[in-house]
Amino acid sequence: MASPFESLKSYADRRVALMLLLGFSCGLPFLLVGGTFTARLATADIDIKAIGLFAYLLLPYSFKFLWAPVVDAFDVPLLSRLLGRRRSWMVVAQAGAGLSLLIMSLTDPISSLPLLGLAAFLLAFSAATQDIVVDAWRIESAGLERQGSMLAAYQLGYRLGLISAGAGALFIAGSAGWQASYLTMAALMAIGLAASLLAPAPEQMRGDEENGPQRPRERFSFGRAVAAPLADLYRRQGPRLVAVLALVAFYRMPDFVSGVMANPFYIRMGYTLPEIAAVSKLYGIWIGILGAFVGGWSIARFGLYPTLLAGAVAGAASNLAFSWLAAGPPEVWRLALAISIDNFSGTFAGTALMAYMSGLTGIGFAATQYALLSSLYALPGKLVSGLSGFMVAAYGFSTFFALTAAIGLPVLVLAILFGRVGEDRPETEPAAADDLAPVRAG
């Protein structure tokens, strides 16, 4: 075991500093096609139903596992010879994100809404691809002893990217307009591009290049790559796997369904863009970090099962704070209180769910199973969230947020009945790893 001083020395690694920059580049696009984008549409008086439908632009983040094998198996023509496979894909993805933001900055939502939506989709696709390849570069570029410090740097950079794309973009839009805001965000993508160019090639891939041609890769089969981990899950969980997957899929649904309406709600309530930026995008992010910290402490102190139950209650019931906010005047202290409750509860619940999903994975399948589970937990909420604008139009904001809170009732029942499954992860997987070994793409 390394001493405390030796552990701190890992943060002096150049790759850790690069992960900070790459984390920033990964965090920046998310809100620019999500919350900040819906705020832009709301200020242009786009119909609330249309704003809700634009939530589907985030689907590439949920389906990125579908084209991850392409990024893993194929080189970028010409560019890969100069930078290697991982860095060339990073450059392509970041250039695509920057170009998409440039198009969005020059497109008027009133006269060219379809073009703006297409550019936003290309941004989401490029950003999701960037996430895939940055994770691959991180894993291949450092040993296990460096992964903790690199992930810590990545999380910090990601949060800074969220602050820039949330509070920063809204502040700029409030003072100089949306075109200047999105142009600034496009320029900030150069930070990630610089990190990609400065990043060392992964040792494993550099060794492959130096050693000459390698044996042919095994032909990739998407069906086997998905079927084997699912078969392993069913072997260990049996028929209760259906209920366990339902718990994963619906645990965060109240937050996903209500989240897309948050910025339009603030604007319709009468809050200004600087007020929303300061309270929701700046102050709220740090409250969210606190919620994640408390969630981790709760798991260590009380165990996963009680924390999972508390998260199910808090994550859904926190939406009632917005129903309360909708019933009163647009005062900043009321906005701060509602956002404090929602952000703290949301990240607390998110920490509990990630720990639960980690406990479901088996030895030999952890990466694949966790990727599939993380896609599952986000997908249903994002699909339903596209209808949120119709719900608001039919019932109003106050009733809408109360209905999203009610989704938490069946989730709590599932958590009570099946929440302990995440504590049952086996220490070994005898024989099964050989029988169900996933296909590797090299």
Side-chain angles (χ1 to χ4, degrees):
M1 180 180 296
S3 68
F5 179 74
E6 291 174 338
S7 299
L8 288 175
K9 286 173 61 178
S10 66
Y11 286 95
D13 193 312
R14 181 167 69 100
R15 292 167 294 184
V16 173
L18 291 170
M19 280 307 300
L20 176 67
L21 302 180
L22 291 172
F24 177 87
S25 185
C26 288
L28 189 72
F30 185 78
L31 289 180
L32 297 176
V33 75
T36 300
F37 185 59
T38 60
R40 181 183 184 183
L41 296 178
T43 57
D45 290 328
I46 300 298
D47 184 74
I48 194 70
K49 297 177 183 178
I51 294 176
L53 291 173
F54 275 106
Y56 293 132
L57 291 173
L58 290 171
L59 287 178
Y61 282 97
S62 295
F63 286 105
K64 61 186 178 181
F65 66 89
L66 293 178
W67 66 92
V70 175
V71 175
D72 190 49
F74 295 97
D75 290 334
V76 177
L78 301 178
L79 196 57
S80 289
R81 292 188 176 184
L82 298 174
L83 301 175
R85 179 176 301 161
R86 297 308 185 200
R87 293 185 298 165
S88 63
W89 273 110
M90 278 195 276
V91 167
V92 168
Q94 290 156 352
L99 179 61
S100 300
L101 287 168
L102 179 61
I103 296 173
M104 292 176 73
S105 71
L106 301 175
T107 305
D108 179 41
I110 297 177
S111 61
S112 304
L113 187 59
L115 177 60
L116 183 64
L118 176 61
F121 176 79
L122 292 176
L123 173 61
F125 183 84
S126 298
T129 304
Q130 179 184 214
D131 288 353
I132 294 169
V133 70
V134 166
D135 282 335
W137 179 84
R138 170 180 54 81
I139 293 169
E140 294 172 351
S141 293
L144 184 60
E145 72 281 357
R146 287 287 189 273
Q147 290 298 315
S149 54
M150 293 180 75
L151 281 169
Y154 176 87
Q155 290 290 341
L156 177 57
Y158 197 94
R159 291 290 180 179
L160 293 175
L162 291 179
I163 292 173
S164 299
L170 291 182
F171 276 125
I172 296 172
S175 59
W178 285 109
Q179 184 178 85
S181 178
Y182 269 77
L183 277 174
T184 303
M185 297 301 111
L188 288 177
M189 285 302 300
I191 293 176
L193 187 61
S196 298
L197 295 174
L198 292 172
E203 293 291 339
Q204 173 186 340
M205 307 193 86
R206 183 162 59 240
D208 290 347
E209 294 169 358
E210 291 173 355
N211 295 330
Q214 304 295 305
R215 65 179 179 84
R217 290 168 176 255
E218 183 178 355
R219 183 181 297 274
F220 180 78
S221 169
F222 179 76
R224 286 184 59 197
V226 174
L230 289 178
D232 172 70
L233 277 173
Y234 185 81
R235 181 184 61 80
R236 290 185 288 110
Q237 303 298 341
R240 69 179 179 179
L241 178 62
V242 175
V244 170
L245 295 179
L247 174 57
V248 171
F250 293 104
Y251 191 84
R252 298 299 311 281
M253 182 174 280
D255 186 54
F256 280 117
V257 175
S258 64
V260 69
M261 285 291 110
N263 278 323
F265 168 60
Y266 304 148
I267 291 171
R268 298 292 171 89
M269 282 290 296
Y271 294 102
T272 66
L273 290 180
E275 288 173 340
I276 297 171
V279 179
S280 176
K281 308 304 180 183
L282 190 57
Y283 164 79
I285 281 184
W286 298 108
I287 295 296
I289 293 174
L290 177 62
F293 175 82
V294 174
W297 171 82
S298 177
I299 293 171
R301 178 66 178 82
F302 302 107
L304 175 58
Y305 182 65
T307 304
L308 191 73
L309 297 183
V313 174
S318 63
N319 284 356
L320 295 176
F322 290 124
S323 292
W324 167 78
L325 184 63
E331 299 172 327
V332 174
W333 74 267
R334 301 179 79 252
L335 178 65
L337 179 58
I339 286 177
S340 295
I341 295 171
D342 181 68
N343 284 21
F344 182 92
S345 300
T347 53
F348 181 96
T351 301
L353 179 61
M354 286 188 287
Y356 180 75
M357 292 191 300
S358 298
L360 294 175
T361 61
I363 305 301
F365 296 102
T368 303
Q369 289 171 347
Y370 191 86
L372 292 172
L373 289 169
S374 61
S375 295
L376 175 64
Y377 101 82
L379 181 58
K382 289 180 180 178
L383 290 174
V384 175
S385 66
L387 303 175
S388 57
F390 293 90
M391 296 174 64
V392 170
Y395 302 109
F397 280 111
S398 182
T399 302
F400 165 72
F401 287 118
L403 289 174
T404 60
I407 299 174
L409 294 177
V411 172
L412 178 60
V413 173
L414 286 172
I416 292 173
L417 296 176
F418 300 99
R420 292 193 182 278
V421 174
E423 300 176 329
D424 297 336
R425 178 175 179 174
E427 293 299 325
T428 60
E429 291 289 329
D434 293 332
D435 297 337
L436 300 171
V439 176
R440 296 184 182 274

